Amino acid sequence: MKLKKAFGILLVLALAAFWMINSDVTPRAAAFELTQLTVKASSTKNVKVKVKWAKSKKASIYRIYRSKAFKNEPFFGLSNKKLKYKKIKTVGSSTTKCTDSGLKFKRWYVYKVVAYKKSGSSYKKIGTSDFTIYTGPDTVMWDEYLYADGYISPSRIDLTMYYGGQGMNSSGIEIYRKETGGKYEKIKTIKRDKESYCATYQDESVVTGTTYKYKVRSYKKVGGKKRYGQWSDVMTKRAVTQNGSFAATYLDPASGESVDQLLIQVDSNSETGDLKFTSERLYPYDDPDGFNFFKVYYSTDGQATWAAVSYDEPLVLKTKESVVLKLVPQEWIYDSTTGTGYAKDTTYNVPTDGFTLSTSHPIYYNNVISDCELAISADNTGTLGTSIAEEYVH
């Protein structure tokens, strides 16, 4: 959890920096820097951007350029030819700001300031700095960790959103939601907290086991009317348990005996999400070196046919479905003469007090990488449980 908190702090600091400069592009040169782009609009026909930069002691003049208007955010690294820069002003060395007007509403622009030093009768370029700005209400983005560890339960889904700091300071956020096959409906309007870069919402109107798609946008009054920013990406979440816990039953138990296979039935209920089991091996906790393991097979047709689990052909367990796992004990044999190894079928002495097996590598629970453990107690029942692996969250 310490690693997760550290990443969270870094994210907030980075977003704070973006918000302060209203931009998402890092200056290319250290000679001087653009420090702020501010959008103001009294109406959709009267949009202005105030450009500010840090003074360079060596500069004699500054030339300010603006790209063409883009409907979508331009990719970093676009050539000047594609950006189609237009010079909007030339100012002297004592000036470090200018205002650009006549811009289109809800468009993306790239501003570039170039510093020049006078050399004889000509001017020599000594530095360039550029930033991107959006001339609509502020962009909104999801917390980057939300796909992995945003809180979910059968009765609640938590959402966290950040203001991107790339447009006009918006008044708040509207949250829209839909179920699979349905239409988006607005479920909440959140007024902006001017002291915070983020907003949170707990959706407690969810139905257990249902998958929802969320999208958000900011809003602001411009010219006396409510105007909206661009839509965020779509966030898909399901109202199920945060970590999966699937009921497991040891079939044909043989506690205290030596067996050549274990049959385990795994059942999913309405509160568990989708399990994508990609691990072809399970390892007993009492063999940390991994020289003994279980090859994993599964059957979904009452044990009539079996298929081996692999990353390319995973076992997928949906809500309210059941599957039978066949675990075949194997021993890894190393041939020192050839320097190679191979797996050989063996037997397993079933402990009388139960057993615990773990996956050889993480699997997927609700499309998030998770650790997985199969635990069977002395009464031959147990769970196949998942938990988000800390190192795979980010």
Side-chain angles (χ1 to χ4, degrees), residues 88-357:
I88 58 174
K89 202 164 189 180
T90 299
V91 297
S93 60
S94 61
T95 302
T96 56
K97 62 182 180 180
C98 77
T99 299
D100 185 24
S101 59
L103 303 173
K104 293 181 179 180
F105 185 61
K106 292 184 68 173
R107 291 293 186 269
W108 291 88
Y109 293 92
V110 180
Y111 279 86
K112 178 174 69 172
V113 178
V114 184
Y116 292 89
K117 179 181 180 181
K118 192 168 185 180
S119 178
S121 59
S122 61
Y123 290 91
K124 180 181 179 181
K125 184 192 297 186
I126 60 173
T128 301
S129 186
D130 57 4
F131 281 155
T132 301
I133 192 72
Y134 178 61
T135 59
D138 201 1
T139 55
V140 183
M141 55 189 174
W142 297 109
D143 173 7
E144 68 171 306
Y145 307 130
L146 193 58
Y147 285 101
D149 59 356
Y151 178 79
I152 59 172
S153 76
S155 60
R156 194 182 96 193
I157 293 176
D158 286 7
L159 304 174
T160 303
M161 300 138 283
Y162 286 88
Y163 295 99
Q166 295 171 287
M168 291 181 286
N169 287 336
S170 57
S171 302
I173 294 173
E174 291 185 348
I175 302 175
Y176 284 73
R177 185 190 77 184
K178 78 168 185 176
E179 298 179 26
T180 303
K183 294 182 178 180
Y184 278 105
E185 295 181 356
K186 184 170 67 174
I187 60 170
K188 184 67 177 179
T189 298
I190 301 176
K191 290 186 177 180
R192 183 167 190 165
D193 179 354
K194 294 182 180 180
E195 302 300 320
S196 178
Y197 308 116
C198 68
T200 59
Y201 176 64
Q202 294 180 349
D203 185 1
E204 297 179 334
S205 62
V206 299
V207 176
T208 299
T210 303
T211 299
Y212 297 94
K213 292 183 181 295
Y214 297 89
K215 63 179 181 179
V216 296
R217 63 180 178 180
S218 64
Y219 67 89
K220 182 181 180 67
K221 270 195 174 182
V222 178
K225 293 184 178 181
K226 196 175 187 180
R227 308 290 182 177
Y228 299 99
Q230 291 187 324
W231 285 110
S232 70
D233 293 333
V234 174
M235 171 70 69
T236 302
K237 304 294 285 184
R238 190 176 183 189
V240 293
T241 53
Q242 180 80 7
N243 293 314
S245 182
F246 299 83
T249 305
Y250 177 23
L251 306 178
D252 300 326
S255 298
E257 299 179 21
S258 180
V259 299
D260 59 6
Q261 67 177 27
L262 301 174
L263 295 180
I264 310 292
Q265 180 170 312
V266 179
D267 301 299
S268 173
N269 60 44
S270 61
E271 295 188 357
T272 51
D274 293 340
L275 176 69
K276 183 180 178 183
F277 199 92
T278 59
S279 184
E280 61 185 30
R281 296 176 181 177
L282 283 170
Y283 289 86
Y285 267 27
D286 56 3
D287 184 31
D289 294 328
F291 290 107
N292 292 285
F293 56 88
F294 292 88
K295 177 71 174 176
V296 183
Y297 299 85
Y298 71 95
S299 175
T300 57
D301 58 6
Q303 304 181 45
T305 60
W306 297 93
V309 174
S310 70
Y311 187 84
D312 294 326
E313 297 183 9
L315 157 64
V316 178
L317 181 60
K318 298 284 187 179
T319 299
K320 296 183 179 180
E321 290 184 354
S322 297
V323 65
V324 176
L325 302 180
K326 180 168 68 174
L327 310 179
V328 178
Q330 295 189 327
E331 179 183 7
W332 185 255
I333 305 297
Y334 177 72
D335 189 339
S336 59
T337 58
T338 62
T340 59
Y342 60 94
K344 178 184 177 182
D345 288 349
T346 185
T347 57
Y348 176 67
N349 293 319
V350 182
T352 57
D353 57 351
F355 53 88
T356 300
L357 311 175

Side-chain angles (χ1 to χ4, degrees), residues 6-20 162 197:
F7 271 84
I9 293 171
L10 290 173
L11 173 66
V12 170
L13 291 175
L15 286 167
F18 289 161
W19 180 79
M20 291 175 63
Y162 286 88
Y197 308 116

